[in-house]
Amino acid sequence: MLKTFPKGGVHPAEGKYSANNAIETLPLPKTVSIPIAQHIGAPSKPVVDKGDKVKVGDKIAESAGFVSANIHSSVSGTVVKIDNVMDSTGYKRPCVIIDVEGDEWNESIDRSTDLKKEISLTDKEIINKINESGIVGLGGATFPSHVKLSVPDGKKIDVLIINGVECEPYLTSDHRLMLEKAEEMLIGIQILMKALNVNVALIGVENNKPDAISNLQNIVKDYPGIEVHALKVQYPQGGEKQLIKALINREVPSGGLPLDVGAVVHNVGTALAVYEAVQKNKPLFERVVTLTGKSVKKPSNFMVRIGTPVSNLVEAAGGLPEDTGKIINGGPMMGKAVNSLEIPVVKGTSGILIMPAELSKRKKESNCIRCAKCVSVCPQGLEPYLLNKLALLEKNDKLEAGGVMDCIECGSCSYTCPAGLPLLDYIRLGKSRVSQIIRSRKQ
Amino acid sequence: MSKITISPSPHVYEDTTVKRLMFDVVIAMLPVLAISIYFFGMGAIIVTLTAVVSCLAFEWLIQKYMLKQEPSITDGSALVTGILLAFNVPTNLPIWIIIVGSLVAIGVGKMSFGGLGNNPFNPALVGRVFLLISFPVQMTSWPVPTGFSNSYTDAVTGATPLGVMKEGIGAGESVSAIMDKIPSHMEMFYGHMGGSMGEIAAVALLLGFVYLLIRKVITWHIPISIIATITIFTGILWMINPESNADPLFHLLTGGVLLGAIFMATDYVTSPMSVKGIWIYGVGIGLITVLIRVFGAYPEGVSFAILIMNAFVPLINMYIKPKRFGEVRND
Amino acid sequence: MSTIILFTIISLSAIGAIAAIILYFAAQKFKVFEDPRIDQVEENLPAANCGGCGYPGCRGFAEALVKSDDISDLYCPVGGNDTMSKVAEILGKAVEAKDPLVAVIRCSGSPEHRKKVNSYDGASTCVIVSGLYSGETACQYGCHGLGDCVEVCDFEAIYMDKETELPVVIDDACTACGACVKACPNDIIELRKKNKKDRKIFVSCVNMDKGGIAKKACDVACIGCKACVKVCAYDAIVVENFLAYIDPVKCKLCRKCVEVCPTNSILEINFPPRKVKPAQPVGEAEAKETPARSTGEKENDNNIINQEG
C-alpha cells in the first residue's frame, strides 16, 4: 500500500506531455523585465538605476525585511528603466528592465559543472548564503527559504521533507530535475539538513514518476539519512500539510506551521538552488519552466533566465497553437490565468500551460444538489458548499468559525462540483475578507 | 485567435454533471423496471409512463408559468422523481390518482421549496405518503404477480407478505405458520410477491446498487447503515422470540427496505453532508422502520422513516461536522 | 359530561391565571429601561435600515443619537437635513445642515471606448475580478461592469446599462447612503455635492496611468494633460497621478473645463444645451461620439451631455 494523505483529494487527468523531454536551455532574450516582487513578503528595493551596467548574478534589488528576498540580474547588459509591467499577478507592477548585451557572468560564480560534495560552511553561514542568493520556494509559493530555515527558539525540528510530488497535472519541471540533477539536488538536501541540524530527510515522489523514483533510489544510498518515498497519486499531495501527513503521519494544527510538528518542507527545485548557491556561489536567476498544453507542438522543459517574456518560451515550443483559449501561469488546479504573453518568468513560475479554447470555459452553473462531493474531496475537512454560501451572504464570523482560514485553495471542490458552482471563487473572497478582519483585530 | 479567457483557478473540471448523475440513477433503476413489467405487465408500464410524464409536465408548467424561470426539466431530476413515485405505488392504481400524486410530489414536495436542491423532503416520498393517507384503499390493494398480463386496474389483488405477517401476528398466529402462507425467501429475492411496483425484486435493486457504486453516484454508507440497523434490530427481536417476530432476512426482502435504502434515502438533496451525519441518518431510518413495522399500526414504515429523518437532516448538518484537518482539540 | 367540561374550564383557567402571574413578575424582574426618546427618534428616521450612517440599522442610529452629547458628526444621508433637524428638535441638540450628496459613476469606459482584450469567465462579481487581475480591458482602474454596486443598493437607485455595460445612478432615488461606494472594488463611485437641478460636472475617469497608456486603453480616459487646470478660474481642479479631480465645493459649474478636455473625460450633466458656435472644426469631429457618450442618464428628460469641443 502506497502512502498518501487520508482525507479528501481528487485525481485529475495527468496530461504530463513533457515528461520525457530533457531540459533545454532557452536562448537569451533581447530584454528581460525582472519584477521586484516575486516572493511572498515585502517587495525588494531596487539598487540599480537607469543606465547602470550589470552582469549575470549581480544584485539588482535588495531584500526589504526579514520576509523578503534579494533579486539578482539574470543577464548582462544595461538597465533601461524601472517601470510598471504586467506580470503574472494580472496587474502592472514595478520591474527592472534590462537590455541584454552578451552573457558576462559575475566572476565570483563557479560555472564549472563538477560536483562539489564537501559542505564547508556552518549552519549559520548556509542560511546567510541562502538569504544572500535570493532563494525562495520554487514549488510556486515563493516563500523566502531562509525564513523557513531560521527555526525560532523553542521549536525543535527533527525531519526535513523534500517535496518532489508535483501533483499538479501537466507540470514536469520537478520531474525532470529529479532525473537530470539528482546528485546536485541530494547535496542540496544535505546542505539543508546541515542548516536545520536534522539527520533525516524524506523525499516524497508520486508514483506516476517511476523513473525519477528509481533514479533517486539508486544514488540516495551514498547519502545517509535521506530516504525516497513513493506516494500514491492524489491531488493535492504537494500541499505542505498533506505531504507531512502522508509521509510522517503528523497533522499540522489548524493555523499552525509545519515546524509546529517538527518538520520543514522544501521543494526539490529549491534544494537544487541551494546547492548552486552554497557550493557554486550562484544566486537564483534561472529556473526550469515547463511549457506545455494539449495543442502545444513541442511540449518542453526549459532552463529559463528570470525575467524572460513567456512569449519566448512559446516560440521555442513551436508557437502559440491556433486554438489557444487560456494561458495559465502554473498548473491547471492552482495556476493563474494570465492576460498577456509578455509577462516575465519569475521565481515562482513552474510552468506555463496553454489550454485549448474548448477546455477554457467553465461548466454551466446550476443549483447545488447537496451531493456532498465537495465535502468528501476537501483535503482540509471543510464544508465548501457551506463556506460558499456564507461567503455569498458575507457572514464573516460564521465563515471564520467554519474554518475558512484553513482552506488551502487547492480547488478540489470546484473541480468536482457536478453543478459547476464557482465554490473556490467565493471561498477565496470570504477568506480574504476574514483575513482582513483578523488582521484589524490584531492591531 | 479569439480573446483569451481569464478565470480563477481551478481550470480543469471533472466531467460529472447533475444531468449525468440523474441519468445514472435512471439507468440503475432499469432492472427494477424490467422485473416489474415482467411480473405485473401492462399495469407497470402505464403507471410508470403516467408518473414520469405528469412529473415532467408539472415541473415544466410550474417553472414556466408560476416561478417564471427557465424550465430545467432536462436535468433529469423530475424524471427520477417520476420513476421513483411509480416504484412506490401498486401497479393497478388509477391514472388520476397517479397524476394527483405527481402534482403533490413536484408541486408541494419540490417546487414550493424553490426547486431542485432546496427541498427538505424526498419529493417522490411526499407524493407517495400523500397518496397513502388520502387513498388508503387504492394504495394498499396490491395486484398479485402473475407474469406479464394485460390487465391493469382489474388485476387480481392480494396482500403483501408484510401485511400477511402483521395481520397474522396480530391475530396470534405463530411466525412459522404464517411463513407457509407467503412466498419463500428465494421467491421474494426474485420479486415473486405482491407489493408496490419497484419494491418487489431484491435482486434487481441490488444490481442497481452495484451500478450506482461503480459509477460513484452514491457511496455505500447510507444503504449499508440502514440495512445493517434493520438486520441487527430485527435480529435481536427474532432471537428473543422467533415465533412472534419474523427473521431479519424477511424484513430486508419485503416491503420497501431495499428500494428505500438504495434509491430514496440516498437522494442527495435530502441526506446529510458528512459521513458521521450519514450514519446517524441511516441508523435513524433503520430504527424507525422497524419500530413502525413491529410496534406500529402500519405494516410498512420505510417511507415514513425516511421522511422523518429527512426532517432531521438540516439539524444533523448543523451540528455534525466533518473532522477538520489539524483541528485543535481542547482536551 | 357537564362535569368534564366544568373541570376543563376550571383547570385551564387556573393554568392561565398562574402563567399570567409568572409572566407579570418575570416582566417586572427583567425589565430593561429604555430611553423613550429612542423610540421617538426612530419614528422620525427613514426606516430604510441601509447602514449609510455607519450604524446597524435605524434603531442603532437612534440609540447613538440619544446617547451622544454632540451629534454634529452623526448624519442620516437618507433622511437628509429635514430628518436631522427634526431629530435635533426632539433631543434638544444642535445639528449642522449638510450639503445633500449624490453618487456619481466616474468611468465612461463603455466597450466602444474601452476595447475588451480578454474575456472573464468566473463568478460574476467585480470584487472577485479585481482580486484576480486587472480586468477585461487594458484599463485596470475602470469599471468591471458586473454590478456589485447594483446588488448592494437598497433603494433601486442604480442599474446596469446594457449597452454601455456601466452602472447608472438614478439621481432622484439615490440617498447617498454610500453602500455602492463601499462595494466598488475600484473606487469608481464618488458621493458628490448635489447641485441645483441635479447639475453635475466631474471627471468621469479614475485611470492613474500615464497619458499615453491611459489613452491607449480607453478613448475617454483622463490623460492628465492639465488643460482643465489652466482654464479653471476657481482653483477647483487638481491633477495627481495623471488624473484630474474637480473639487465639488470649489467648482462653480462654469463648464470651461468641459470644453477644453481633449478626451471628453469631463462630463457635464443636466445642463441646458449651449449655443453651437459656428465653424469649429474640432467640434464636428468630436460630435460623432455624442451618442456613445450619453452615459445612460436616460432617467432625466432634461439631460443633455454636451460634447462640443
Side-chain angles (χ1 to χ4, degrees):
Chain A
M1 230 345 231
L2 289 167
K3 286 181 180 178
T4 187
F5 59 99
K7 198 195 301 276
V10 291
H11 188 186
E14 287 169 22
K16 305 249 183 193
Y17 302 117
S18 51
N20 296 319
N21 303 347
I23 300 170
E24 297 167 51
T25 303
L26 194 77
L28 286 175
K30 287 199 180 72
T31 325
V32 292
S33 320
I34 305 175
I36 60 163
Q38 302 186 22
H39 44 260
I40 289 180
S44 318
K45 289 194 198 85
V47 293
V48 288
D49 257 326
K50 188 175 165 178
D52 286 1
K53 295 275 179 196
V54 290
K55 289 180 191 167
V56 177
D58 283 356
K59 198 200 284 181
I60 54 172
E62 204 170 43
S63 164
F66 181 57
V67 185
S68 185
N70 289 335
I71 291 167
H72 300 81
S73 176
S74 58
V75 292
S76 59
T78 315
V79 177
V80 188
K81 56 182 171 179
I82 297 172
D83 196 10
N84 289 346
V85 172
M86 182 70 78
D87 74 0
S88 57
T89 58
Y91 281 99
K92 287 177 186 163
R93 295 197 306 173
C95 290
V96 177
I97 300 167
I98 305 171
D99 267 349
V100 181
E101 294 151 12
D103 191 25
E104 197 184 331
W105 288 41
N106 189 310
E107 297 76 20
S108 61
I109 302 172
D110 174 4
R111 293 185 70 176
S112 70
T113 52
D114 321 332
L115 270 187
K116 194 178 158 205
K117 290 199 176 182
E118 324 73 71
I119 303 161
S120 48
L121 302 183
T122 67
D123 51 355
K124 288 274 171 326
E125 286 166 343
I126 291 170
I127 294 173
N128 273 340
K129 191 81 214 166
I130 288 173
N131 185 5
E132 198 52 40
S133 307
I135 295 177
V136 299
L138 294 183
T142 64
F143 193 76
S145 298
H146 67 273
V147 182
K148 276 198 201 174
L149 294 172
S150 314
V151 181
D153 294 336
K155 298 277 183 192
K156 179 86 187 84
I157 302 298
D158 59 358
V159 56
L160 168 67
I161 287 174
I162 299 297
N163 187 348
V165 171
E166 202 155 55
C167 59
E168 276 274 4
Y170 293 94
L171 303 187
T172 56
S173 53
D174 289 352
H175 183 182
R176 291 312 305 178
L177 280 181
M178 287 187 280
L179 284 172
E180 297 176 32
K181 303 264 187 184
E183 290 264 2
E184 290 91 335
M185 190 181 293
L186 289 174
I187 299 169
I189 294 170
Q190 281 191 321
I191 296 168
L192 288 170
M193 287 162 76
K194 187 166 179 188
L196 287 166
N197 292 315
V198 297
N199 302 320
V200 187
L202 308 176
I203 309 175
V205 187
E206 276 190 354
N207 207 31
N208 55 1
K209 299 178 262 293
D211 47 349
I213 296 171
S214 61
N215 182 42
L216 285 172
Q217 266 162 350
N218 283 338
I219 49 174
V220 83
K221 293 169 200 130
D222 306 336
Y223 297 88
I226 306 180
E227 291 169 33
V228 180
H229 288 270
L231 300 167
K232 190 178 161 221
V233 181
Q234 180 96 312
Y235 179 87
Q237 194 141 243
E240 269 188 343
K241 295 179 177 184
Q242 278 64 38
L243 184 59
I244 293 172
K245 181 76 183 173
L247 280 174
I248 56 174
N249 196 23
R250 293 183 200 165
E251 218 164 276
V252 179
S254 167
L257 293 169
L259 51 86
D260 292 328
V261 293
V264 166
V265 183
H266 281 284
N267 178 268
V268 286
T270 315
L272 178 69
V274 165
Y275 165 81
E276 290 182 333
V278 175
Q279 304 294 71
K280 302 280 184 176
N281 202 28
K282 180 185 158 197
L284 180 61
F285 58 76
E286 58 180 2
R287 68 158 297 147
V288 180
V289 178
T290 303
L291 192 292
T292 184
K294 203 178 169 196
S295 332
V296 171
K297 283 203 195 77
K298 211 178 114 238
S300 320
N301 301 292
F302 294 117
M303 182 61 86
V304 187
R305 301 286 173 90
I306 302 294
T308 306
V310 165
S311 53
N312 284 29
L313 282 80
V314 174
E315 282 313 312
L320 195 68
E322 281 285 297
D323 61 351
T324 300
K326 201 186 248 181
I327 301 158
I328 299 163
N329 174 33
M333 293 300 286
M334 287 185 79
K336 206 167 157 143
V338 296
N339 51 6
S340 159
L341 271 181
E342 296 312 311
I343 62 156
V345 166
V346 293
K347 291 176 181 176
T349 309
S350 46
I352 300 291
L353 170 60
I354 296 173
M355 298 282 265
E358 82 258 18
L359 297 178
S360 298
K361 291 283 177 193
R362 290 191 163 185
K363 271 198 264 190
K364 201 172 159 260
E365 278 177 45
S366 57
N367 279 6
C368 170
I369 54 166
R370 307 172 64 78
C371 66
K373 283 188 193 294
C374 55
V375 178
S376 68
V377 299
C378 180
Q380 291 291 90
L382 305 174
E383 295 168 286
Y385 79 99
L386 186 66
L387 298 179
N388 169 62
K389 202 176 255 175
L390 292 172
L392 269 169
L393 298 170
E394 294 192 43
K395 303 265 185 207
N396 293 327
D397 43 342
K398 284 192 180 158
L399 268 177
E400 195 182 347
V404 75
M405 294 312 290
D406 283 349
C407 172
I408 57 169
E409 303 183 22
C410 68
S412 299
C413 48
S414 293
Y415 169 81
T416 203
C417 181
L421 295 172
L423 297 170
L424 180 57
D425 293 11
Y426 284 105
I427 294 173
R428 205 186 274 122
L429 175 66
K431 195 177 162 187
S432 74
R433 284 194 184 127
V434 170
S435 69
Q436 258 171 30
I437 291 171
I438 292 175
R439 232 176 292 141
S440 66
R441 205 184 292 151
K442 277 178 187 160
Q443 279 161 10
Chain B
M1 196 183 86
S2 60
K3 276 184 282 191
I4 54 169
T5 307
I6 309 281
S7 41
S9 67
H11 305 284
V12 284
Y13 296 94
E14 215 166 56
D15 53 6
T16 322
T17 58
V18 172
K19 202 169 173 170
R20 206 217 83 191
L21 292 172
M22 292 298 172
F23 281 94
D24 268 343
V25 175
V26 172
I27 292 170
M29 291 190 291
L30 289 180
V32 186
L33 192 61
I35 286 209
S36 306
I37 293 171
Y38 174 78
F39 279 120
F40 296 122
M42 271 322 271
I45 298 173
I46 294 170
V47 167
T48 311
L49 279 180
T50 312
V52 167
V53 171
S54 49
C55 278
L56 288 172
F58 284 130
E59 173 141 325
W60 189 83
L61 288 171
I62 290 173
Q63 284 193 313
K64 178 103 179 167
Y65 294 106
M66 287 176 72
L67 303 175
K68 316 255 186 236
Q69 304 169 334
E70 189 64 28
S72 61
I73 53 166
T74 50
D75 67 16
S77 65
L79 179 62
V80 170
T81 303
I83 299 178
L84 279 178
L85 181 66
F87 278 9
N88 272 295
V89 297
T91 51
N92 58 353
L93 200 63
I95 287 181
W96 68 272
I97 294 187
I98 302 169
I99 294 177
V100 170
S102 305
L103 178 61
V104 173
I106 295 291
V108 178
K110 185 175 167 192
M111 300 321 277
S112 63
F113 294 100
L116 179 62
N118 300 317
N119 47 305
F121 300 104
N122 187 322
L125 280 182
V126 172
R128 179 215 147 95
V129 167
F130 175 82
L131 293 183
L132 185 63
I133 294 169
S134 313
F135 309 101
V137 178
Q138 290 92 327
M139 282 294 287
T140 51
S141 60
W142 283 280
V144 175
T146 53
F148 191 88
S149 73
N150 289 319
S151 61
Y152 170 39
T153 48
D154 56 346
V156 184
T157 59
T160 62
L162 265 178
V164 175
M165 180 69 71
K166 184 110 195 169
E167 215 167 276
I169 291 173
E173 290 177 64
S174 74
V175 168
S176 51
I178 302 167
M179 285 305 241
D180 293 337
K181 290 194 264 179
I182 57 177
S184 69
H185 284 14
M186 207 55 193
E187 279 177 302
M188 289 185 203
F189 186 67
Y190 289 119
H192 191 77
M193 60 176 167
S196 294
M197 177 182 153
E199 67 186 24
I200 52 167
V203 59
L205 289 162
L206 290 174
L207 208 63
F209 184 32
V210 171
Y211 177 80
L212 291 179
L213 285 182
I214 292 172
R215 296 287 286 170
K216 291 191 175 153
V217 177
I218 59 171
T219 58
W220 56 269
H221 300 84
I222 294 177
I224 297 300
S225 61
I226 294 174
I227 290 168
T229 310
I230 292 182
T231 310
I232 293 168
F233 194 6
T234 56
I236 292 170
L237 293 173
W238 181 59
M239 284 197 304
I240 293 170
N241 188 354
E243 279 307 305
S244 64
N245 292 301
D247 60 287
L249 196 57
F250 172 86
H251 276 287
L252 291 185
L253 293 176
T254 56
V257 169
L258 290 178
L259 176 66
I262 296 167
F263 289 105
M264 318 284 277
T266 51
D267 174 31
Y268 287 141
V269 182
T270 55
S271 57
M273 303 296 272
S274 63
V275 175
K276 259 188 276 175
I278 280 170
W279 276 101
I280 295 175
Y281 173 75
V283 171
I285 290 174
L287 286 180
I288 297 171
T289 302
V290 180
L291 285 176
I292 294 175
R293 279 189 179 187
V294 178
F295 304 107
Y298 279 98
E300 172 59 313
V302 174
S303 37
F304 292 109
I306 295 174
L307 286 178
I308 290 170
M309 288 315 290
N310 282 166
F312 282 101
V313 165
L315 208 63
I316 293 174
N317 282 339
M318 193 180 287
Y319 289 107
I320 310 296
K321 297 284 181 189
K323 192 190 162 287
R324 283 203 216 141
F325 187 96
E327 199 169 355
V328 187
R329 268 168 253 118
N330 298 323
D331 54 22
Chain C
M1 193 65 192
S2 62
T3 49
I4 296 176
I5 295 171
L6 200 66
F7 279 127
T8 314
I9 291 172
I10 291 171
S11 55
L12 281 178
S13 309
I15 293 170
I18 293 167
I21 292 166
I22 294 172
L23 280 176
Y24 173 77
F25 282 106
Q28 287 300 313
K29 180 143 177 67
F30 298 111
K31 195 172 183 178
V32 179
F33 175 76
E34 241 184 9
D35 197 324
R37 290 180 302 171
I38 294 177
D39 283 329
Q40 261 177 304
V41 171
E42 196 188 355
E43 266 167 41
N44 282 291
L45 294 177
N49 292 316
C50 65
C53 51
Y55 290 88
C58 295
R59 178 94 193 162
F61 185 53
E63 280 169 23
L65 283 168
V66 172
K67 257 185 228 159
S68 11
D69 294 326
D70 180 16
I71 60 166
S72 54
D73 289 342
L74 304 173
Y75 191 74
C76 172
V78 180
N81 289 333
D82 291 350
T83 300
M84 289 314 289
S85 58
K86 267 188 215 150
V87 168
E89 215 171 281
I90 295 169
L91 299 175
K93 295 171 186 171
V95 284
E96 281 168 45
K98 285 189 186 171
D99 291 331
L101 302 174
V102 66
V104 298
I105 310 290
R106 292 184 295 168
C107 179
S108 306
S110 61
E112 197 175 331
H113 296 295
R114 197 167 52 134
K115 288 275 171 304
K116 291 195 176 174
V117 291
N118 60 63
S119 76
Y120 171 76
D121 182 27
S124 194
T125 44
C126 309
V127 59
I128 287 180
V129 175
S130 82
L132 183 68
Y133 76 126
S134 54
E136 287 186 310
T137 68
C139 167
Q140 71 179 66
Y141 303 96
C143 178
H144 290 312
L146 294 175
D148 282 14
C149 46
V150 177
E151 198 80 358
V152 297
C153 183
D154 282 340
F155 305 95
E156 292 181 15
I158 194 162
Y159 66 93
M160 293 304 293
D161 186 310
K162 289 209 176 66
E163 231 164 81
T164 61
E165 297 180 24
L166 293 168
V168 180
V169 178
I170 303 165
D171 286 357
D172 295 338
C174 178
T175 59
C177 70
C180 53
V181 178
K182 275 181 222 141
C184 180
N186 279 2
D187 285 336
I188 290 162
I189 308 177
E190 187 196 359
L191 295 178
R192 287 178 76 89
K193 196 179 88 178
K194 211 168 181 168
N195 295 309
K196 251 186 283 171
K197 294 184 185 165
D198 283 335
R199 285 178 179 173
K200 278 179 256 182
I201 289 188
F202 60 97
V203 180
S204 179
C205 183
V206 290
N207 191 318
M208 290 191 276
D209 277 330
K210 279 176 204 149
I213 299 170
K215 176 80 181 164
K216 211 173 153 192
C218 175
D219 292 351
V220 291
C222 171
I223 53 173
C225 66
K226 300 195 180 173
C228 49
V229 179
K230 281 170 208 140
V231 82
C232 183
Y234 308 99
D235 278 343
I237 308 181
V238 282
V239 173
E240 225 176 284
N241 295 324
F242 314 102
L243 176 65
Y245 177 76
I246 304 177
D247 187 326
V249 181
K250 287 183 190 164
C251 175
K252 299 280 188 280
L253 305 177
C254 72
R255 298 195 273 169
K256 282 209 179 98
C257 52
V258 180
E259 285 165 34
V260 298
C261 180
T263 58
N264 294 312
S265 63
I266 303 179
L267 296 187
E268 52 171 70
I269 290 170
N270 294 337
F271 283 89
R274 50 180 103 186
K275 287 165 204 149
V276 181
K277 289 174 199 162
Q280 204 176 37
V282 190
E284 276 168 42
E286 304 268 317
K288 282 178 196 159
E289 287 182 16
T290 309
R293 297 265 19 224
S294 51
T295 51
E297 301 277 326
K298 288 166 189 159
E299 295 297 314
N300 306 331
D301 296 337
N302 58 343
N303 159 37
I304 286 116
I305 297 166
N306 196 298
Q307 286 303 312
E308 288 123 302

